[in-house]
């Protein structure tokens, strides 16, 4: 029988999600088990497993570009940036798909009594419900570049819904020429897969976030192993401000 079930935008997004092999999924609720496996061994020599905040985040706080308020950490992993924001005086909500990552983050928070509210789930589904915006800062360290192209409009809608006027959006993502796939968007739907994540150029980031005001866009600094901060030069760091009136 011919299938004509598509009726809503969510139906279309689910259809497009299904064009990717299941093992490529890093963005839907079904990806939780993959991320659980990734975080299962806390002793793995993964640089961002260390309890170190991103060097760009530390820099922007130290320079006064970011001031305490309400913050949302998207794809928080083991909580390293969420805990730093809490220590800096932010009221923090942190969301991740992986129960294993959140268990690790909660263990770290318990060691410092950091008042972070950790939430398990898909940020797109949680926006407007458990995610209690507006937020003065939305921080994304390594989540955005795992989204397929058809999920970008939902990401922008999340920012529009949850970011306060005058608030800041900041992210780190794969840099073209250094890490991540540089295929054209259309090629991802021709059986090529996401290949671990998407690489972005400064021009593409400026285009995608054109509704926001750019404050900083640079490569992440390379931090030595003994640094108290995390930094890898294959990533872009970007800071944007929402300047529209409420």
């Amino acid at each position: 029988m011919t299938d004509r079930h598509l009726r809503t935008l969510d139906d279309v997004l689910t259809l497009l999600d299904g064009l990717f092999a299941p093992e490529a999924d890093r963005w839907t609720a079904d990806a939780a088990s993959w991320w659980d496996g990734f975080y299962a061994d806390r002793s793995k020599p993964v640089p961002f497993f260390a309890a170190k905040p991103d060097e760009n985040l530390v820099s922007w706080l130290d320079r006064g570009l970011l001031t305490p308020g309400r913050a949302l950490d998207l794809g928080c992993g083991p909580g390293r940036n969420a805990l730093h924001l809490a220590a800096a005086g932010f009221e923090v909500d942190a969301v991740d798909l992986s129960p294993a990552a959140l268990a690790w983050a909660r263990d770290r928070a318990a060691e410092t009594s950091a008042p972070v509210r950790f939430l398990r789930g898909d940020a797109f589904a949680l926006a407007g419900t458990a995610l209690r915006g507006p937020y003065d800062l939305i921080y994304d360290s390594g989540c955005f570049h795992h989204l397929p192209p058809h999920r970008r409009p939902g990401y922008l809608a999340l920012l529009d819904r949850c970011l306060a006027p005058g608030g800041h959006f900041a992210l780190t993502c794969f840099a073209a020429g250094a890490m991540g796939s540089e295929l054209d968007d259309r090629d991802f739907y021709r059986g090529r897969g996401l290949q671990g994540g998407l690489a972005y150029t400064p021009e593409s980031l400026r285009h995608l976030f054109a509704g926001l005001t750019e404050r900083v866009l640079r490569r992440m600094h390379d931090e030595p192993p003994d640094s108290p901060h995390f930094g890898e030069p294959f990533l872009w760091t970007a800071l944007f401000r929402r300047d529209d009136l409420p």
Side-chain angles (χ1 to χ4, degrees), residues 2 9 23 46 53 58-59 83 118 144-145 155 173 186 191 210 233:
T2 301
L9 178 57
E23 59 268 21
V46 177
V58 175
S59 172
L83 298 182
F118 292 105
F144 178 69
H145 57 224
Y155 189 96
C173 66
R186 71 188 69 186

Side-chain angles (χ1 to χ4, degrees), residues 5-6 8-20 27-28 30 150-151:
H5 72 281
L6 295 184
T8 68
L9 178 57
D10 283 342
D11 291 337
V12 175
L13 293 174
T14 300
L15 172 69
L16 293 173
D17 287 341
L19 296 181
F20 296 90
W27 66 93
T28 74
D30 291 338
H150 65 275
R151 286 290 177 177

Side-chain angles (χ1 to χ4, degrees), residues 30-109:
D30 291 338
S33 60
W34 188 94
W35 287 112
D36 280 348
F38 181 75
Y39 287 114
D41 181 0
R42 299 182 183 185
S43 66
K44 279 194 303 188
V46 177
F48 57 84
F49 275 16
K52 301 178 179 183
D54 289 342
E55 61 81 12
N56 52 293
L57 179 61
V58 175
S59 172
W60 297 336
L61 289 167
D62 289 348
R63 293 163 56 194
L65 296 180
L66 298 173
T67 55
R70 301 194 66 238
L72 170 62
D73 186 0
L74 292 173
C76 66
R80 57 193 182 84
N81 290 307
L83 298 182
H84 187 76
L85 287 168
F90 283 83
E91 178 188 343
V92 184
D93 286 348
V95 61
D96 202 279
L97 292 170
S98 167
L102 291 175
W104 192 358
R106 290 188 177 103
D107 288 345
R108 285 177 167 174

Side-chain angles (χ1 to χ4, degrees), residues 12-239:
V12 175
L13 293 174
T14 300
L15 172 69
L16 293 173
D17 287 341
L19 296 181
F20 296 90
E23 59 268 21
D25 183 2
R26 303 289 184 271
W27 66 93
T28 74
D30 291 338
S33 60
W34 188 94
W35 287 112
D36 280 348
F38 181 75
Y39 287 114
D41 181 0
R42 299 182 183 185
S43 66
K44 279 194 303 188
V46 177
F48 57 84
F49 275 16
K52 301 178 179 183
D54 289 342
E55 61 81 12
N56 52 293
L57 179 61
V58 175
S59 172
W60 297 336
L61 289 167
D62 289 348
R63 293 163 56 194
L65 296 180
L66 298 173
T67 55
R70 301 194 66 238
L72 170 62
D73 186 0
L74 292 173
C76 66
R80 57 193 182 84
N81 290 307
L83 298 182
H84 187 76
L85 287 168
F90 283 83
E91 178 188 343
V92 184
D93 286 348
V95 61
D96 202 279
L97 292 170
S98 167
L102 291 175
W104 192 358
R106 290 188 177 103
D107 288 345
R108 285 177 167 174
E111 294 172 1
T112 61
S113 300
V116 178
R117 189 170 72 110
F118 292 105
L119 299 166
R120 177 192 171 192
D122 178 345
F124 300 122
L126 292 174
T129 57
L131 297 184
R132 301 169 188 161
Y135 294 97
D136 303 293
L137 171 65
I138 296 179
Y139 193 72
D140 176 344
S141 184
C143 177
F144 178 69
H145 57 224
H146 288 298
L147 297 179
H150 65 275
R151 286 290 177 177
R152 284 192 211 120
Y155 189 96
L156 295 172
L158 184 152
L159 295 183
D160 188 61
R161 180 188 298 181
C162 294
L163 186 61
H168 285 86
F169 164 64
L171 83 160
T172 70
C173 66
F174 290 155
M179 179 168 280
S181 174
E182 298 185 40
L183 292 173
D184 288 340
D185 281 352
R186 71 188 69 186
D187 290 330
F188 293 116
Y189 301 94
R190 294 172 174 166
R192 304 292 294 277
L194 295 185
Q195 302 180 21
L198 282 63
Y200 288 89
T201 64
E203 293 74 22
S204 61
L205 293 174
R206 290 179 177 122
H207 171 72
L208 292 171
F209 300 108
L212 303 172
T213 299
E214 178 186 327
R215 301 199 70 189
V216 182
L217 179 52
R218 64 165 172 83
R219 284 291 185 95
M220 180 177 264
H221 297 157
D222 191 8
E223 295 288 325
D226 59 350
S227 170
H229 309 139
F230 169 81
E232 294 284 358
F234 57 77
L235 298 167
W236 289 116
T237 69
L239 180 66

